[in-house]
Each structure stands twice: as C-alpha cells, then as structure tokens.
C-alpha cells in the first residue's frame, strides 16, 4: 500500500541542506556535530520518504531537481526561524539579517547599489550580492542559493512572486576613432566584421542586435573581446577596443563629450527586468523589495 507523505522531518531537511552547503557528507557531519553515518542515514530516509533521489553523489555533491526543491524549502525555513527568533527577542536577535540577492552586472553598476541606501536601518540587514547575467539569476533563485533576484524572466520560479521593475535601455556605441576605422560605409555590413565587445561567452546582446538590424541569423563579428565587468566593458569601448551595447545611463556622459558616438540612434535595445523573491512574510524581504522597486522606478524606463 502506498504511504502518503504527510511531512518533511526537519532534522532530515536541515541535514540535506548541510550536505549541499558543505559539499560532502563528512564535512556536513562535522558542521552538524554528528557522525557521517548519521548524515547518510538521514539523507537516505528523506529520499525514501519523498520517493526521489535528492543528491547526486559527486564531489562536491549537488542536488537533483527534486533536491533543489527541498534545499529551497530548507533555506526558507531557516529564514522564517531567524525572523521568529528576532521578533521573540531570543538570543541572536541583535544580529544583522543576511539577505542574499542575485543581480546582473549592469544593474549593479548603474542603479542597484542605490537600493542599499534606501533600506531602513531597522531591521538591521547585511547584503550578500551575487553577480550573474540577468538571464541566469533565476537559476540561483530556483536552486535556493538566493532569496531574491533581478532577472529578465517574467515567469515566476516555483515558490516565488514576480513583479516588473522596468526596462534597461542599451545604446550601440563606439569611439569616434573606432567608428571611422571600422564602421565606414554600410553599418549593417560593417558590424558583422568589426571587432565587438562581449561581457562573457554567454553574452548574446550584441549578436541579437546585429540579427535584428540585418533581419537575418547573422550575428556580430567572430573577432570579439570578453570583458566581464560593466565598468571594464565601458572603458574598453571608450578605448576603441571594439563596439558594444552600453547602458544608457553609462553612455550618456561619454556621448555628450564626444568620447563615444552612437551607431544606430533609432535602434536602442530595451531589456525588461523583473524582481523575483521568495513568497515569505519576512520583514527583511519586505524592506528590500520596497527599496528595490523605489530605486528602479527612478532609473529604469517604464
């Protein structure tokens, strides 16, 4: 007869989280002050109870898709427990609450740091910001590694709420010298040959821009330079290393003083951004969400 799942034993859930965070069963045992055998038995019992494999036994171990669900639950449970202890005035209530957020590099360099100044002094918070491309920040949320994320996906991760923040506008730009040397004549033909900047190997923004401009599958030139910081990317374009798409707020001063020229003034690229967070009634998350939406409304396009 099939056994109906009624609850997830908290000691087993916390043990699974410890194994994922520590990377091995032995390290988790040391962190929990139990034997490795006890850790193994708890994880096996939880897998039997859920009827699913929760861990891939590699080094370090990693959660399966089902394991990610349990890990996310464990982190949310820990968050609620800390909030409850703070409200009850129990030991540790005076400690600052850690809020982990995934943010894309361009938001971090342009508007997101203003969030930190908008958060009220109470409750006391400290931030753990994880920089990741906006198309991949939702993955960190799905894996339970962060409590909230700035993402380009409007589809809510399971157990999360989502709201629109606005659109970050990008402008295709280059230094005047670079434009004269590489982009003379037909811009459409030149862009598939001219050296181009990219944030990393996953950055598709410049290729998508060229494909839209040409109405074809042809992307930007294979001659490209990877610079994985927002500030370094901008400096590289200004220095004439290649052309690239730059956040409007970063590009404006350089366009105004002539250090950059816009390549296609009538073709800006707008990237929609969303705020996704755990569905928790947490004072810390409420405070951060209010600050994020306020900061975004003053910078991003609606």
């Amino acid at each position: 007869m099939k056994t109906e799942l009624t609850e997830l034993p908290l000691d087993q859930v916390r043990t699974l989280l410890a194994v994922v965070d520590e990377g091995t069963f032995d390290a988790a045992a040391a962190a929990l002050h139990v034997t490795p055998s006890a850790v193994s038995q708890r994880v096996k019992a939880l897998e039997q109870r859920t009827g699913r494999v929760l861990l891939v036994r590699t080094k370090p171990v990693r959660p399966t898709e089902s394991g990610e669900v349990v890990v996310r639950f464990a982190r949310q449970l820990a968050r609620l427990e800390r909030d409850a202890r703070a409200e009850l005035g129990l030991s540790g209530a005076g400690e600052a609450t850690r809020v982990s957020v995934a943010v894309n590099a361009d938001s971090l360099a342009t508007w997101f740091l203003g969030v930190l100044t908008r958060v009220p002094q109470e409750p006391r918070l400290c931030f753990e910001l994880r920089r990741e491309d906006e198309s991949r920040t939702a993955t960190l949320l799905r894996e339970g590694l962060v409590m909230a994320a700035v993402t380009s996906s409007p589809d809510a991760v399971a157990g999360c709420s989502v709201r629109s923040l606005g659109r970050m506008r990008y402008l295709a730009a280059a230094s005047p010298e670079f434009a004269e040397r590489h982009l003379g004549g037909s811009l459409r033909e030149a862009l598939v040959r001219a050296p181009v900047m990219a944030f990393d190997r996953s950055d598709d923004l410049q290729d998508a821009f060229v494909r839209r401009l040409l109405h074809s599958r042809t992307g930007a030139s294979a001659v490209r330079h990877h610079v994985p910081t927002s500030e370094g990317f901008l400096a590289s374009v200004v220095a004439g290393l290649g052309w690239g798409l730059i956040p409007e707020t970063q590009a404006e001063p350089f366009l105004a003083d002539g250090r950059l020229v816009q390549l296609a003034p009538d073709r800006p690229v707008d990237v929609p951004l969303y705020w996704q967070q755990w569905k928790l009634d947490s004072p810390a998350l409420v405070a951060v969400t209010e600050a994020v939406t306020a900061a975004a409304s003053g910078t991003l396009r609606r």
Side-chain angles (χ1 to χ4, degrees):
M1 184 174 66
K2 184 177 180 181
T3 300
E4 188 173 321
L5 177 64
T6 58
E7 63 178 21
L8 296 176
L10 298 186
D11 62 331
Q12 296 175 9
V13 168
R14 288 171 176 144
T15 299
L16 181 76
L17 177 60
V19 173
V20 170
D21 285 346
E22 299 298 329
T24 66
F25 282 69
D26 288 344
L32 295 173
H33 306 292
V34 298
T35 65
S37 176
V39 169
S40 179
Q41 289 173 11
R42 290 178 187 177
V43 172
K44 287 180 180 177
L46 187 59
E47 289 182 322
Q48 290 173 352
R49 191 172 189 84
T50 59
R52 292 173 172 83
V53 175
L54 301 177
L55 290 178
V56 178
R57 270 70 169 178
T58 54
K59 287 191 176 181
V61 300
R62 52 188 176 86
T64 63
E65 187 174 342
S66 296
E68 290 174 358
V69 175
V70 180
V71 167
R72 186 168 64 245
F73 166 69
R75 295 194 195 282
Q76 293 174 345
L77 182 67
R79 169 78 275 139
L80 288 173
E81 183 177 9
R82 285 193 292 269
D83 287 345
R85 291 176 65 87
E87 290 186 41
L88 291 171
L90 299 179
S91 60
E95 298 177 1
T97 298
R98 183 173 300 277
V99 179
S100 54
V101 182
V103 191
N104 63 304
D106 288 336
S107 290
L108 200 57
T110 54
W111 66 272
F112 193 84
L113 287 181
V115 169
L116 306 185
T117 65
R118 293 174 182 261
V119 177
Q121 296 300 308
E122 294 294 337
R124 293 176 59 205
L125 304 180
C126 58
F127 291 91
E128 181 183 357
L129 302 182
R130 299 189 56 158
R131 188 186 67 186
E132 186 57 270
D133 183 81
E134 64 271 14
S135 65
R136 300 194 295 272
T137 50
T139 301
L140 299 181
L141 196 61
R142 187 175 299 108
E143 294 173 352
L145 296 175
V146 295
M147 302 165 63
V150 176
T151 174
S152 60
S153 174
D155 301 320
V157 171
C160 296
S161 62
V162 59
R163 67 176 68 187
S164 174
L165 291 175
R167 296 175 288 115
M168 176 169 279
R169 173 158 291 187
Y170 289 81
L171 306 177
S175 70
E177 297 76 16
F178 180 92
E180 183 177 357
R181 184 168 64 252
H182 294 284
L183 304 176
S186 170
L187 178 65
R188 287 175 167 80
E189 294 178 4
L191 285 181
V192 299
R193 299 190 305 270
V196 61
M197 302 303 305
F199 190 84
D200 55 28
R201 294 185 182 277
S202 300
D203 181 7
D204 186 55
L205 199 60
Q206 283 69 218
D207 291 309
F209 172 77
V210 172
R211 287 194 294 267
R212 284 194 296 270
L213 198 66
L214 298 179
H215 302 291
S216 75
R217 296 182 179 180
T218 302
S221 169
V223 181
R224 59 186 63 201
H225 308 287
H226 297 103
V227 180
T229 70
S230 186
E231 296 83 358
F233 187 102
L234 171 63
S236 298
V237 175
V238 173
L241 199 58
W243 70 273
L245 284 150
I246 301 171
E248 184 178 40
T249 53
Q250 282 185 318
E252 283 177 340
F254 295 89
L255 292 170
D257 65 17
R259 282 182 288 174
L260 286 179
V261 294
Q262 205 168 335
L263 304 183
D266 60 336
R267 294 294 185 93
V269 175
D270 288 344
V271 176
L273 296 178
Y274 301 87
W275 177 251
Q276 295 208 39
Q277 66 172 80
W278 289 350
K279 289 181 180 178
L280 289 184
D281 185 15
S282 166
L285 269 179
V286 169
V288 172
T289 296
E290 290 177 351
V292 166
T293 53
S297 65
T299 305
L300 301 180
R301 290 176 173 265
R302 306 307 300 174

